[in-house]
Amino acid sequence: MSANASHLLAEVQGEIAKACTIARREPSEVTLIAISKTHDADAIAPLLDAGHRVFGENRVQEAQGKWPQLKQRYEGVELHLVGQLQSNKADDAVALFDCIHSLDRPSLVKALAKAMEKAGRRIPCFIQVNIGDEEQKGGCAIADVPALVEQAREADIPLAGLMCVPPLGIEPAPFFALLDKLARDDGLTGLSMGMSGDYPTAIMLGATHVRVGTALFGERG
Ligand SMILES: *Cc1c(COP(=O)(O)O)cnc(C)c1O
């Protein structure tokens, strides 16, 4: 199990390095977020044992069930929230996570600003963009990005950049390129994009944070 986890980690790190070489970037410019949703502490521990420290979850409640204990066992864990966030969970999210990738509406800007104020802790947030303009997908509409960036800045929320999940089943590169352009337009440098199926492409198009689950943990049950 442990040998397998470190093998998969090395493999993904190798792919990141390869994509960086092609793009003439440094691997240190790309943060690998191991998405551990649905996996229990026993499945996560081998990656921590292998030295990895940056993880992502998509549900606040699920993360609360496993990460406080893991954070006690391992020093230096950095936890990212990559799933939709309800405003009434903002306090919990700010308490547990070190970065939020799903800021997508004005009401959440308000809730997070209040939660950060209360906690005395400001954590960086990515604005999630509905980059393929999909009906039921989370994320802020492309046209609304500048206004949301403005609101987040006024609320003193540290902005890390933009995040997207492109539409399934079609070439993601144009969507990654569009996210990069939108970020530049608003003076943002971070790009959270790329998952197991497309993170090398995302890196070649400027990703600073890739969110990789399946390639590190295997298929989710
Ligand atoms: C699950 C998830 C990932 C990881 O997906 P894989 O295809 O398993 O790598 C990345 N980003 C978000 C927002 C997710 O929900």
Side-chain angles (χ1 to χ4, degrees), residues 35 37 58 82-83 163 165 194-197 211-215 220:
I35 305 296
K37 65 187 185 196
N58 72 334
V82 301
M163 177 273 207
V165 180
M195 309 182 8
S196 290
R211 310 178 310 265
V212 179
T214 308
R220 284 178 290 274

Side-chain angles (χ1 to χ4, degrees), residues 48-98:
L48 286 156
D49 288 332
H52 196 72
R53 286 295 179 270
V54 187
F55 290 82
E57 292 281 344
N58 72 334
R59 291 209 168 94
V60 175
Q61 214 168 348
E62 183 188 339
Q64 284 173 324
K66 51 190 174 185
W67 280 101
Q69 295 90 320
L70 284 168
K71 279 184 169 187
Q72 285 201 328
R73 267 170 68 195
Y74 296 89
E75 293 266 331
V77 168
E78 185 183 308
L79 200 57
H80 293 244
L81 178 65
V82 301
Q84 269 209 355
L85 178 59
Q86 290 169 325
S87 293
N88 63 10
K89 295 260 175 71
D91 287 329
D92 291 342
V94 168
L96 180 63
F97 291 92
D98 302 294

